[in-house]
Amino acid sequence: MSDTPGKQQNTAAFYGQAVASFAVAMAATAIGIYQLSADAWVRAFLAIAVLYLVTSAFTLSKVIRDRQEGTGGAPSYAPYEKR
């Protein structure tokens, strides 16, 4: 194994798989909500809930990435770190 320092890059195939997986999951969820035999307001509520979940997942992903890369500000505490 090599301990080459530097930033690791994802391959194009991994990126494509991640995008395709996200697209399939969103499409399947949208079709499922559309086909649901419920009132329109119930389907609308579920659609908004899914969109909120997706946006908060993207935000969480960005926060975790920034923290690992050290681009965010220094945290004032580290709850899981022994002192």
Side-chain angles (χ1 to χ4, degrees), residues 3-83:
D3 293 328
T4 306
K7 189 174 180 181
Q8 294 180 345
Q9 295 291 325
N10 293 328
T11 64
F14 181 76
Y15 180 78
Q17 184 272 332
V19 170
S21 176
F22 178 76
V24 168
M26 285 298 290
T29 303
I31 291 169
I33 290 173
Y34 180 75
Q35 295 292 328
L36 189 65
S37 60
D39 292 336
W41 71 268
V42 173
R43 291 191 307 234
F45 176 80
L46 291 174
I48 294 297
V50 167
L51 291 176
Y52 179 61
L53 180 63
V54 168
T55 58
S56 57
F58 275 114
T59 302
L60 178 62
S61 170
K62 182 189 178 308
V63 167
I64 291 172
R65 182 203 63 202
D66 289 349
R67 187 174 212 185
Q68 286 178 341
E69 290 180 351
T71 57
S76 59
Y77 69 97
Y80 299 113
E81 186 176 304
K82 290 185 178 182
R83 293 179 188 235

